[in-house]
Amino acid sequence: QKGSSPVAPVHIGNEDSADKTNLGFIHAFVAAISVIIVSELGDKTFFIAAIMAMRYNRLTVLAGAMLALGLMTCLSVLFGYATTVIPRVYTYYVSTALFAIFGIRMLREGLKMSPDEGQEELEEVQAEIKKKDEELQRTKLLNGPGDVESGPGTTIPQKKWLHFISPIFVQAFTLTFLAEWGDRSQLTTIVLAAREDPYGVAVGGTVGHCLCTGLAVIGGRMIAQKISVRTVTIIGGIVFLAFAFSALFISPDSGF
């Protein structure tokens, strides 16, 4: 039988699946990094990193804060991914409704805010850190000066591993973790992980936290005082509403 030679199969399905997966990851990454930036700039965790970085070693503060935020992001993604046992069509539209609610709420908050909003939260964080400082000073008196890292000007030699598990590291970690628990950015990470690619959300969320916390640590109080919490909140509301609006054009079964 001439002309009946077998034709090599073309694996179009696998290529489509790979493209779909890549698009899902990119979409989740962009979504996560966007909502984290608009949620975290001028937030309590931002102020914690900014104020602590002015008093103590910046690398130690950054390491402690990022460990807390990275851990919280992973936990939030796991919580969100756990909801995928529910049919996707339900989680997709519930998450869309939550984004719409978050967006409207943020817009209302932003429009009601005064231009110098955020100073009250800044003062609250300063008082909280001052309280922790007093506790550290008491620990220093009880255990000796070698136990407390007193900032970049310290002359006490420390081993490298002790540098990263110092009381300042623990303070940055605990303050950030507790401030982030139940925060808007944690809730939105859970919601995103329920409807987007979980790996993209985890990576995008972590990168977003890195950018915000790094900015806080480098810029310190100057950035904290110059950021308009009102403007960031209004932009955040628009971003959340944009994600809710996108549900009108993206099918729940599209995979991203």
Side-chain angles (χ1 to χ4, degrees), residues 53-76:
M54 290 185 294
R55 303 187 180 200
Y56 309 112
N57 184 282
R58 290 178 177 180
L59 183 60
T60 306
V61 172
L62 181 64
M66 276 315 306
L67 180 62
L69 293 168
L71 180 61
M72 184 63 76
T73 301
C74 291
L75 286 173
S76 301

Side-chain angles (χ1 to χ4, degrees), residues 217-229:
V217 167
I218 293 168
R221 182 179 295 178
M222 182 183 72
I223 292 174
Q225 290 179 333
K226 286 186 180 295
I227 280 179
S228 170
V229 178

Side-chain angles (χ1 to χ4, degrees), residues 125-142:
V125 172
Q126 286 175 324
E128 196 172 344
I129 292 174
K130 186 179 179 181
K131 185 180 175 182
K132 290 287 183 184
D133 285 344
E134 289 169 359
E135 289 175 11
L136 282 175
Q137 290 303 318
R138 284 197 292 271
T139 306
K140 185 175 179 179
L141 290 171
L142 290 171

